[in-house]
């Protein structure tokens, strides 16, 4: 062991100096506070304030010390604004504290108002007199009082070694000392003294350390006064002075536990000493030559526990329409979802909610407000170890619809209208989804998305009601609308088109098994099957108003529908039409034609009229765990190579469109087959039209049982 000492009347000890690699960065690993504190000189004996924002320490042989680089110790101080801010450039304390060549600070008490330093000073001359301890008070104007002797019985008589170390408990009632009673000895032993009720200090009492080793130094008591930390050179250590702790086994400090070495995140194979904690015990500081600057001792700061084991959240509930705080008229509340706990509801009175959320868990935040739906914000604090702040914005969106209460009423009050059957109710030509009927009251309830104007039309009993205009283009939030649709008792019988047919399974060529229920889709809205035949398989019936174009399809799990366009713009009054609808079972290898897909002539550009069909396909693909190939085909007009490329480009365009609509790209592949796979005779115009097509082929699919 190579050692050197700072020789002084009251000097601090520093052992051998080497370098060793420290553990990786972690919130609770020792940290270098930076060059504002650590320099190329020695930094020793750190003392941390209770709040962790002020650090006092001794600098040895620093050029800015009063006695310079050749034999000097001065007391310095650094501060920081908060626990996450950098430390300020350290400043040397004034000569009222740094009174001699080798200064030592043993305690800072009373929130920085009382300093205990090494040395006794003359009552008149105030010059250094002898070894001992003195107390200095900080005055209201920032100046310091003259040093006052602190009488510790036997301290001056026993303190004869080359060096001495000491510390005081934060309440000023307990002192721990490391010193030698042998003249010019470096071998220190530990002692304690307690402040008695009469205000005097007890005689120094030796701490009986089991197998004390060469030397025990720089002692420090924990806040509960039961644990004594110190630095020692002992057998079983890591090679030099290491940090240890012992526990008092009785209130009189007569017996102690076996010394226990502190974690190797603090200790290394080189010198460590001066372990200290702030009054809360949340931070510790110590000095080490491990990875130090210029082979000098440096200070390390380590967090022991998080004083504030939570995140400070600032949460805003905002209205999606304007980004402003949610109006109190909607009775907004913040819902906090905690794992394994009931949902917490917080009434929102201000635009910003301050909320503290404990660490080590996941949380969800959402808003609850009348007629609004909210997004959910997830906050994962499972891996967070330290206090932090985070701002959250929870966005609430008004319900995108209005509730319509539609009353069917006769224009002649003397002739009450009794609604026995509502055959058809449309808004802008599309069937109103999921209406609720109260025939006894002639009432229909349904929902419409706001933001558009609507024209409502209905067929009630056997009469067509007078169209009703419902202006909702300026409505941007939920509301209930009560309105009346008038019917004249004397109007003529309604003229409708009756549509009948079968739902055909393409694979079998037969009507869909009646044990497999299906829904009819008219303009992408589910319509009730009006067929009275509940025995025959796959039969359906619909009543449709003439003068319009309809897109017809079938919805059944495990099947894909081949959508058909039905043009009733020139349909005859009271006509009955026959039309079968086709579904294709979803099986690996099955190819399904995508109807109603048009491209610009000779190009891969999809015409806008094709978008509704592709939107249906995107929704369909998103509804299944499926992988599919989009295949392009052409007729035999033109060169084979050109047709092959055109079909490939068109298939790629379809895939790109589907991906833009939310279909995962991993579900899709594409390929052009040109004219190689005709399904009809290319000698006829009709056959060529059938061969110009886009299909999707099922490559893989998982269907629920």
């Amino acid at each position: 062991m190579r050692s050197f000492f700072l020789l002084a009347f009251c000097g601090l000890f520093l052992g051998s100096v080497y370098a060793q690699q420290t553990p990786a960065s972690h919130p609770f690993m020792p940290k270098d506070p930076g060059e504002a504190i650590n320099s190329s000189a020695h930094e020793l004996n750190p003392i941390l304030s209770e709040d962790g924002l002020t650090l006092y320490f001794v600098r040895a042989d620093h050029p800015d010390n009063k006695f310079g680089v050749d034999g000097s110790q001065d007391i310095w101080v650094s501060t920081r604004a908060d626990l996450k801010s950098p430390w300020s450039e350290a400043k040397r304390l004034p000569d009222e504290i740094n009174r001699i060549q080798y200064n030592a600070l043993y305690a800072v008490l009373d929130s920085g108002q009382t300093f205990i330093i090494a040395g006794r000073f003359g009552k008149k001359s105030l010059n250094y007199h002898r070894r001992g301890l003195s107390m200095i008070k900080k005055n209201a104007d920032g100046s310091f009082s003259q040093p006052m002797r602190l009488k510790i019985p036997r301290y001056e008589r026993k303190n004869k070694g080359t060096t001495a170390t000491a510390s005081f408990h934060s309440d000023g009632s307990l002192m721990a000392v490391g010193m030698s009673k042998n003249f010019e000895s470096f071998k220190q032993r530990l002692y304690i003294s307690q402040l008695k009720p009469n205000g005097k200090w007890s005689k120094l009492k030796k701490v009986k350390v089991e197998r004390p080793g060469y030397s025990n130094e720089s002692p420090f008591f924990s806040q509960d006064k039961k644990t004594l930390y110190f630095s020692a050179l002992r057998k079983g250590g890591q090679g030099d002075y290491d940090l240890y702790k012992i526990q008092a086994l009785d209130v009189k400090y007569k017996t102690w536990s076996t010394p226990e070495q502190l974690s190797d995140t603090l200790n290394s194979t080189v010198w460590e000493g001066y372990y200290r904690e702030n009054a809360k015990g949340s931070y510790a500081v110590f000095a080490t030559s491990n990875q130090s600057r210029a082979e000098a001792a440096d200070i390390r700061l380590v967090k022991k526990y998080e004083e504030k084991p939570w995140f400070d959240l600032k949460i805003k509930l905002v209205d999606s329409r304007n980004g402003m705080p949610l109006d109190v008229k909607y009775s907004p509340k913040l819902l906090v979802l905690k794992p394994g706990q009931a949902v917490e509801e917080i009434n929102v009175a201000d635009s910003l909610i301050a909320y503290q959320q404990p660490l080590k868990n996941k949380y969800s935040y959402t808003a609850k407000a009348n007629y609004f739906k909210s997004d959910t914000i997830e906050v994962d604090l499972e891996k967070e170890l330290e206090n932090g702040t985070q701002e959250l914005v929870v966005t609430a969106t008004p319900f995108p619809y209005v509730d319509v209460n539609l009353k069917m009423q006769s224009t002649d009050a003397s002739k009450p209208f009794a609604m026995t059957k509502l055959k058809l109710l449309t808004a802008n030509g599309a069937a109103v989804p999921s209406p609720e009927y109260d025939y006894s009251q002639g009432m229909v309830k349904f929902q419409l998305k706001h933001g558009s104007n609507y024209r409502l039309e209905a067929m009630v009993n056997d009469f067509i009601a007078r169209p009703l205009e419902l202006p909702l283009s300026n409505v941007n939030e939920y509301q209930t609308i009560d309105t009346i649709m008038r019917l004249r008792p004397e109007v003529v019988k309604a003229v409708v088109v009756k549509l009948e047919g079968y739902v055909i399974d393409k694979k079998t060529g037969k009507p869909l098994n009646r044990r497999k229920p299906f829904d009819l889709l008219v303009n992408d809205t589910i319509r009730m099957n009006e067929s009275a035949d509940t025995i025959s398989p796959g039969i359906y019936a619909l009543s449709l108003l003439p003068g319009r174009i309809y897109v017809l399809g079938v919805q059944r799990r495990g099947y894909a529908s081949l959508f058909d366009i039905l043009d009733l713009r020139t349909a005859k009054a009271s006509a009955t039409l026959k039309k079968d609808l086709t579904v294709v079972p979803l099986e690996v290898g099955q190819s399904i034609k995508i109807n109603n897909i048009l491209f610009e002539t000779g190009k891969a550009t999809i015409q806008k009229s094709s978008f509704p069909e592709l939107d249906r396909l995107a929704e369909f693909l998103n509804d299944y765990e499926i992988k599919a190939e989009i295949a392009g085909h052409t007729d035999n007009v033109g060169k084979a190579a050109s047709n092959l490329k055109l079909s490939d480009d068109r298939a790629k365009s379809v895939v790109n469109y589907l991906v833009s609509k939310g279909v995962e790209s991993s579900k899709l592949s594409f390929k052009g087959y040109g004219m190689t796979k005709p399904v009809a005779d290319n000698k006829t115009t009709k056959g060529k039209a059938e061969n110009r097509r886009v299909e999707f082929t099922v490559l893989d699919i998982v269907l629920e049982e």
Side-chain angles (χ1 to χ4, degrees):
M1 178 187 71
R2 179 170 64 88
S3 301
F4 67 89
F5 305 95
L6 301 176
L7 302 178
F9 304 112
C10 53
L12 303 174
F13 172 84
L14 174 64
S16 60
V17 180
Y18 297 100
Q20 176 179 308
Q21 187 175 2
T22 55
S25 178
H26 186 278
F28 297 99
M29 288 290 194
K31 298 290 191 303
D32 185 339
E35 294 184 355
I37 291 173
N38 289 321
S39 68
S40 58
H42 302 293
E43 279 74 37
L44 304 162
N45 194 34
I47 297 176
L48 193 62
S49 63
E50 180 177 3
D51 59 11
L53 303 182
T54 303
L55 181 64
Y56 301 91
F57 59 96
V58 167
R59 266 182 175 162
D61 297 339
H62 190 276
D64 290 336
N65 284 352
K66 185 175 182 178
F67 288 88
V69 297
D70 296 324
S72 67
Q73 289 178 194
D74 280 359
I75 303 165
W76 292 63
V77 65
S78 177
T79 61
R80 56 181 175 177
D82 55 64
L83 295 176
K84 294 187 177 181
S85 295
W87 291 94
S88 67
E89 192 68 33
K91 295 181 179 180
R92 178 181 174 276
L93 290 182
D95 290 346
E96 297 160 295
I97 298 292
N98 289 305
R99 309 181 69 86
I100 55 179
Q101 184 173 356
Y102 293 97
N103 297 282
L105 180 67
Y106 291 145
V108 180
L109 308 174
D110 305 326
S111 300
Q113 301 303 304
T114 301
F115 296 77
I116 297 178
I117 63 173
R120 274 182 60 185
F121 300 87
K123 293 182 179 179
K124 294 182 180 180
S125 67
L126 300 179
N127 293 327
Y128 179 80
H129 183 58
R130 58 185 300 178
R131 296 187 181 193
L133 300 173
S134 294
M135 180 185 298
I136 295 177
K137 294 282 188 179
K138 191 173 185 178
N139 300 319
D141 62 0
S143 62
F144 294 91
S145 70
Q146 300 300 330
M148 297 170 284
R149 181 189 177 193
L150 191 63
K151 296 180 180 180
I152 309 292
R154 298 183 180 178
Y155 176 79
E156 296 171 10
R157 182 164 59 89
K158 289 182 177 292
N159 185 9
K160 295 181 179 180
T162 302
T163 62
T165 54
S167 68
F168 285 74
H169 189 271
S170 61
D171 66 7
S173 67
L174 183 61
M175 174 189 178
V177 183
M179 61 185 183
S180 176
K181 63 181 181 180
N182 298 318
F183 183 69
E184 293 188 352
S185 172
F186 291 103
K187 187 176 181 180
Q188 295 185 26
R189 291 292 179 259
L190 303 181
Y191 300 85
I192 64 171
S193 177
Q194 294 174 278
L195 188 65
K196 297 185 291 186
N198 63 5
K200 295 183 179 181
W201 288 88
S202 67
K203 294 180 181 179
L204 287 176
K205 180 187 298 184
K206 187 175 181 178
V207 176
K208 296 180 180 179
V209 179
E210 181 180 318
R211 296 189 298 274
Y214 176 77
S215 183
N216 301 290
E217 305 163 355
S218 59
F220 175 82
F221 266 106
S222 62
Q223 189 63 19
D224 62 7
K225 302 180 182 178
K226 295 179 180 179
T227 304
L228 184 63
Y229 297 92
F230 60 98
S231 176
L233 185 61
R234 299 170 52 88
K235 288 184 179 180
Q238 296 196 35
D240 208 311
Y241 279 80
D242 291 324
L243 301 174
Y244 292 84
K245 66 178 180 179
I246 53 177
Q247 302 288 330
L249 302 180
D250 61 82
V251 296
K252 293 184 178 181
Y253 300 112
K254 289 184 177 181
T255 56
W256 297 84
S257 66
T258 301
E260 179 184 348
Q261 194 176 52
L262 299 191
S263 166
D264 58 9
T265 61
L266 279 69
N267 286 314
S268 68
T269 58
V270 293
W271 175 86
E272 276 83 32
Y274 300 105
Y275 178 91
R276 306 283 187 263
E277 294 177 357
N278 65 335
K280 295 178 181 179
S282 57
Y283 279 88
V285 286
F286 65 99
T288 180
S289 56
N290 185 16
Q291 285 195 335
S292 61
R293 293 162 174 79
E295 294 192 345
D298 280 351
I299 289 171
R300 296 290 183 263
L301 180 71
V302 58
K303 178 182 283 192
K304 294 192 66 179
Y305 70 86
E306 176 55 65
E307 295 179 20
K308 301 176 180 178
W310 61 78
F311 250 58
D312 292 298
L313 303 179
K314 296 179 180 179
I315 306 172
K316 291 182 180 180
L317 303 188
V318 301
D319 190 324
S320 65
R321 295 171 295 181
N322 50 28
M324 300 297 291
L326 207 55
D327 199 305
V328 294
K329 71 180 182 181
Y330 301 116
S331 303
K333 294 181 180 181
L334 175 68
L335 302 186
V336 183
L337 289 75
K338 307 175 183 179
Q341 299 183 34
V343 176
E344 180 181 0
E345 289 193 5
I346 302 173
N347 290 319
V348 179
D350 299 318
S351 59
L352 191 64
I353 306 165
Y355 192 77
Q356 290 181 342
Q357 197 68 75
L359 305 178
K360 298 291 186 180
N361 237 321
K362 291 182 179 180
Y363 305 92
S364 300
Y365 304 88
T366 189
K368 178 182 178 182
N370 293 337
Y371 312 118
F372 278 75
K373 63 179 180 179
S374 170
D375 59 4
T376 299
I377 304 297
E378 304 286 343
V379 176
D380 186 355
L381 301 181
E382 282 190 321
K383 297 181 180 179
E384 294 294 338
L385 302 175
E386 299 181 281
N387 172 266
T389 60
Q390 188 171 349
E391 292 189 1
L392 306 178
V393 176
V394 179
T395 303
T397 303
F399 288 172
Y401 57 82
V402 297
D403 278 330
V404 180
N405 298 324
L406 181 62
K407 177 80 172 177
M408 300 296 181
Q409 193 174 80
S410 173
T411 56
D412 188 347
S414 65
K415 297 180 180 180
F417 178 79
M419 185 172 69
T420 59
K421 189 172 184 181
L422 179 64
K423 290 188 175 180
L424 186 66
L425 177 63
T426 64
N428 294 346
V432 170
S434 306
E436 297 178 5
Y437 312 110
D438 184 347
Y439 289 110
S440 64
Q441 300 296 320
M443 182 71 71
V444 188
K445 296 182 179 181
F446 55 92
Q447 293 178 342
L448 291 175
K449 289 186 177 181
H450 51 61
S452 299
N453 294 327
Y454 293 92
R455 179 182 176 88
L456 301 181
E457 298 176 278
M459 187 172 72
V460 184
N461 299 348
D462 287 326
F463 298 92
I464 295 179
R466 179 182 297 173
L468 175 67
E469 301 295 333
L470 199 61
L472 301 180
S473 59
N474 293 324
V475 176
N476 66 352
E477 64 181 8
Y478 171 86
Q479 58 183 262
T480 300
I481 297 176
D482 297 314
T483 188
I484 296 172
M485 180 170 272
R486 304 288 184 180
L487 298 103
R488 296 183 182 274
E490 66 274 11
V491 296
V492 297
K493 201 166 188 177
V495 177
V496 295
V497 174
K498 193 76 171 181
L499 188 66
E500 298 175 346
Y502 290 94
V503 177
I504 303 298
D505 184 328
K506 184 179 180 182
K507 181 179 179 181
T508 64
K510 298 179 180 180
L512 199 63
N513 191 310
R514 63 186 178 88
R515 291 193 300 271
K516 297 180 178 180
F518 56 85
D519 291 319
L520 297 172
L521 295 175
V522 179
N523 293 344
D524 298 320
T525 301
I526 295 176
R527 285 282 302 277
M528 181 180 68
N529 189 350
E530 297 177 10
S531 174
D533 188 342
T534 59
I535 299 177
S536 301
I539 196 167
Y540 81 93
L542 284 173
S543 294
L544 300 174
L545 293 173
R548 301 196 176 106
I549 296 176
Y550 297 93
V551 178
L552 305 177
V554 176
Q555 181 173 281
R556 204 276 172 192
R557 190 70 181 171
Y559 286 80
S561 176
L562 300 183
F563 288 90
D564 283 324
I565 295 177
L566 181 64
D567 190 346
L568 297 184
R569 287 178 295 182
T570 60
K572 295 182 179 180
S574 302
T576 298
L577 301 179
K578 302 289 185 179
K579 184 173 182 61
D580 293 338
L581 303 176
T582 304
V583 292
V584 183
L586 292 175
E587 299 173 348
V588 174
Q590 184 69 257
S591 294
I592 302 165
K593 181 183 178 182
I594 309 172
N595 289 331
N596 313 315
I597 301 297
L598 298 175
F599 297 89
E600 299 291 337
T601 303
K603 298 180 181 179
T605 304
I606 303 171
Q607 293 187 7
K608 291 183 178 179
S609 61
S610 306
F611 292 168
E613 185 75 22
L614 290 176
D615 291 343
R616 293 186 198 99
L617 179 58
E619 184 177 356
F620 172 82
L621 292 172
N622 282 328
D623 200 33
Y624 285 93
E625 188 175 339
I626 188 173
K627 290 189 176 181
E629 178 190 82
I630 304 299
H633 301 272
T634 67
D635 57 24
N636 65 348
V637 176
K639 295 181 179 179
S642 299
N643 284 337
L644 185 64
K645 184 178 186 307
L646 179 62
S647 63
D648 195 67
D649 290 343
R650 286 179 171 179
K652 182 178 180 181
S653 293
V654 171
V655 167
N656 290 340
Y657 183 89
L658 294 173
V659 171
S660 75
K661 293 299 180 178
V663 179
E664 295 178 10
S665 59
S666 59
K667 287 185 173 184
L668 301 174
S669 60
F670 67 89
K671 186 174 182 179
Y673 292 90
M675 62 178 72
T676 62
K677 291 188 176 183
V679 294
D681 190 349
N682 273 314
K683 294 180 180 180
T684 67
T685 301
K686 181 180 178 182
K688 289 180 179 179
E690 291 183 26
N691 288 331
R692 294 191 301 271
R693 68 195 188 279
V694 176
E695 298 174 335
F696 77 88
T697 301
V698 179
L699 302 180
D700 188 27
I701 188 167
V702 177
L703 294 174
E704 300 86 351
E705 295 295 332

